[in-house]
Amino acid sequence: MLPLEQKNTLTGDWLVKKEDGSQLVPFIAGLHTDHHALHQWLSVTQAQPFEVGFAAPSGLCLFLNNQLIFKADSAANYTLDLNRFTQKAEPVEGKYLLSVWHPTQQPNVGSFRNQPRETATVREPGERPVAVQVREYVNQNTFIIFMLLIGLLYGALRVNYPADFSSLFRVNSFIGKNSLDEGLLAKPIGALSSILFVLAFSLSLALLIAAIHTNVQQIKLFNRLFPVSEADITTKILFYTLLIFVVILLKYLFLKVMAFIYGLEQLVQVQYREFIRSILFLGIFLPLVMLLYLSLNAMLPEMVLLVSSLAVSFVLVITLLRVFTTVNKKASVLNLHLFSYLCATEVIPLAIMLKLIVFNF
């Protein structure tokens, strides 16, 4: 749609010459089939560009007041600013005659379209620029397929590892004072069941992050280090899944190193097990948020974006608070040395993740 203030526009009122060549008459498509030249009178405002787009076969010529201004050297789509050529042509009663001609066929003037003029906005001094974000609505089939995969993965875990599944996802085990040495938490992180549970969480979180950033923009830092095509949603989801999975596994080594530096090696097991218990339990609700995205994103994109971002933030922040509370039972976090250790191992990584995942747009 053209801006209302754009004066330089084409119309559908094309003309052809009469048989005697003395007068221009309105062009009728079914009647004037043997005319190779079509004409139109144009009103041109010099203060605005007059850009037209058209499809031209090889040899198509454009004239302005009978002066050649364009010839197509090959069949292609072209864009031309007619205002550039009005400087060298004298108007006739304030108008210019545009002629479209081809030596062997009638020109397809139906392809001639105005190109909308972009209006520049003037900012007042001190006014902050408005950030425009182009929202990308993509085919949701990929998200649906991965949602089914997550459902199958959790279902397989429920059937094959019922004791581990129950120890993680019972509400009593999450809010109660049960030991961290039961069920899945008693197994090493390298156990097959542990790997599969972490993988299911990683895929759930990756799916939601991919949906958020497909809806807004690509993560700038990741896009520079590991280029991921905006159109390839599957690649993005698999990339985020691998990244989250590796970060969770490497967190144990990170805690071992930091605990050695701070002299708090006795806290590593309880801290990491609480981290795993909290993040896996809260991750079971992420597919529900993804269902909200699939069902309402087209109608309420801003609300869905807010809910999705809050869900990711909620998982990370609640996990942090749970770790603080559990570690405090072993040694008081009021101890400055312990508080510094928890800030280095939990708070700073949390701030970085929130910045990359939620607050990067």
Side-chain angles (χ1 to χ4, degrees), residues 262 264 267 271 324 327-328 330-345:
Y262 279 85
L264 297 171
L267 295 179
Q271 182 180 355
F324 261 74
V327 172
N328 187 46
K330 295 290 183 179
S332 175
V333 294
L334 297 178
N335 181 297
L336 182 60
H337 184 68
L338 178 61
F339 186 78
S340 299
Y341 165 77
L342 289 175
C343 287
T345 57

Side-chain angles (χ1 to χ4, degrees), residues 121-132 361:
T121 57
V122 179
R123 275 204 320 268
E124 297 294 331
E127 182 183 357
R128 297 181 62 183
V130 179
V132 179
F361 51 86

Side-chain angles (χ1 to χ4, degrees), residues 196-209:
L196 293 176
F197 275 104
V198 173
L199 181 62
F201 167 80
S202 301
L203 185 57
S204 300
L205 184 58
L207 196 62
L208 190 55
I209 294 173

Side-chain angles (χ1 to χ4, degrees), residues 251-271:
K251 184 178 176 70
Y252 182 76
L253 296 179
F254 174 68
L255 292 179
K256 292 286 286 186
V257 172
M258 295 301 295
F260 174 78
I261 295 174
Y262 279 85
L264 297 171
E265 294 91 336
Q266 72 277 11
L267 295 179
V268 172
Q269 289 294 335
V270 65
Q271 182 180 355

Side-chain angles (χ1 to χ4, degrees), residues 37-232:
L38 284 83
H39 314 272
Q40 182 172 154
W41 287 105
L42 302 176
S43 297
V44 180
T45 301
Q46 299 296 333
Q48 296 179 355
F50 198 147
E51 291 191 351
V52 295
F54 54 94
S58 178
L60 183 78
C61 297
L62 268 64
F63 299 84
L64 196 66
N65 284 6
N66 294 326
Q67 297 180 17
L68 180 66
I69 61 173
F70 170 84
K71 182 177 181 180
D73 55 2
S74 62
N77 293 321
Y78 295 91
T79 300
L80 193 67
D81 185 2
L82 299 180
N83 205 359
R84 292 170 41 214
F85 305 99
T86 60
Q87 312 300 327
K88 300 180 180 180
E90 291 294 328
V92 179
E93 297 181 358
K95 293 188 176 183
Y96 298 86
L97 182 65
L98 173 67
S99 302
V100 183
W101 172 81
H102 193 275
T104 61
Q105 65 188 60
Q106 187 175 86
N108 178 21
V109 291
S111 69
F112 280 71
R113 297 285 187 272
N114 284 96
Q115 300 295 109
R117 181 171 61 88
E118 294 183 1
T119 57
T121 57
V122 179
R123 275 204 320 268
E124 297 294 331
E127 182 183 357
R128 297 181 62 183
V130 179
V132 179
Q133 295 175 341
V134 180
R135 194 171 292 278
E136 177 187 307
Y137 293 104
V138 298
N139 192 313
Q140 293 184 336
N141 289 341
T142 302
F143 293 118
I144 295 173
I145 291 173
F146 274 99
M147 279 290 294
L148 294 174
L149 179 60
I150 290 173
L152 291 174
L153 185 55
Y154 274 118
L157 290 172
R158 175 68 179 86
V159 171
N160 293 285
Y161 303 99
D164 294 344
F165 192 95
S166 178
S167 67
L168 276 178
F169 300 120
R170 282 201 320 265
V171 176
N172 290 338
S173 66
F174 181 71
I175 63 177
K177 298 181 179 180
N178 64 306
S179 173
L180 292 173
D181 298 324
E182 298 177 357
L184 180 73
L185 300 176
K187 297 181 179 180
I189 191 62
L192 178 60
S193 59
S194 300
I195 294 293
L196 293 176
F197 275 104
V198 173
L199 181 62
F201 167 80
S202 301
L203 185 57
S204 300
L205 184 58
L207 196 62
L208 190 55
I209 294 173
I212 292 173
H213 291 290
T214 297
N215 219 27
V216 182
Q217 64 181 23
Q218 186 61 270
I219 299 179
K220 296 178 181 179
L221 178 61
F222 289 177
N223 203 34
R224 287 198 296 267
L225 296 179
F226 309 100
V228 179
S229 170
E230 283 288 332
D232 194 351

Side-chain angles (χ1 to χ4, degrees), residues 212-213 309-310 312-313 353-361:
I212 292 173
H213 291 290
S309 301
L310 288 177
V312 175
S313 303
M353 286 187 288
L354 288 177
K355 171 60 179 175
L356 292 177
I357 297 173
V358 181
F359 303 111
N360 68 329
F361 51 86

Side-chain angles (χ1 to χ4, degrees), residues 15-37:
L15 307 168
V16 293
K17 280 189 177 182
K18 276 188 175 182
E19 296 296 335
D20 57 8
S22 62
Q23 188 179 1
L24 294 176
V25 297
F27 167 67
I28 301 175
L31 180 63
H32 301 125
T33 57
D34 56 342
H35 288 75
H36 292 184

